[in-house]
Amino acid sequence: MSVQELAVHFGVSESGVLQAKRAAGLAKAMLDHSAALPWKLERAHSQSGPATNLRNLSAAAQGKPPAAERLNTALRWAQRLVDSGLDVRYDAAGGFSEVPAASAGSHVASVLAAAKKGIEAD
C-alpha cells in the first residue's frame, strides 16, 4: 500500500505513517539539509534550481550524493557563483537571488566546500 493509502486505512496523516515507518526501521533515514537551506522556504520556491542544487550539495556533504548528473549540475552552479564572487539570498516573497558575497564569506562557498569534502571521503 502507498503512504496515502495507509493513512486513509488507519485514519492518520501521511506524516504519521512516515513517522511510524521510520520508527519501525522501514524507511530510509532522512538527510538534514538545514545547514544548506537555513531559510523557511515557501512551497513555490522549494523545488527551484537554487534550492535543488543546495539540497544536492548537502546530500553529497552527508555522504549520500545524488545521481552524478544532478551532483555535477549542483557543483558547476556553486563553483560559478563562487568564482564570480556571488552568493545566494532568499526572500519569501521573491525567492532566491544572486548577490555579491559578503566579505566574511559566502554561504554557497561553505556548502560547496562541505560537499567536496563529503565526495572526497567516499
Side-chain angles (χ1 to χ4, degrees):
M1 294 176 91
S2 72
V3 170
Q4 295 82 5
E5 291 169 332
L6 288 168
V8 170
H9 178 77
F10 290 107
V12 298
S13 68
E14 291 176 25
S15 175
V17 172
L18 292 172
Q19 289 174 19
K21 284 179 68 175
R22 278 193 294 277
L26 300 174
K28 295 179 192 175
M30 294 183 65
L31 297 176
D32 179 5
H33 300 303
S34 60
L37 289 163
W39 312 278
K40 171 106 172 82
L41 301 182
E42 293 292 323
R43 184 176 291 268
H45 305 136
S46 65
Q47 298 301 315
S48 66
T52 299
N53 286 330
L54 288 168
R55 267 193 304 279
N56 287 337
L57 292 171
S58 174
Q62 295 177 65
K64 302 284 186 190
E69 181 179 313
R70 299 181 99 195
L71 178 58
N72 288 335
T73 297
L75 289 167
R76 283 192 312 272
W77 170 80
Q79 194 64 60
R80 176 188 63 81
L81 290 175
V82 170
D83 291 347
S84 300
L86 297 172
D87 200 358
V88 293
R89 74 176 179 98
Y90 179 74
D91 174 78
F96 286 94
S97 58
E98 295 178 4
V99 297
S103 59
S106 157
H107 176 68
V108 170
S110 66
V111 174
L112 176 60
K116 287 181 176 180
K117 186 175 180 181
I119 293 166
E120 290 170 3
D122 267 351

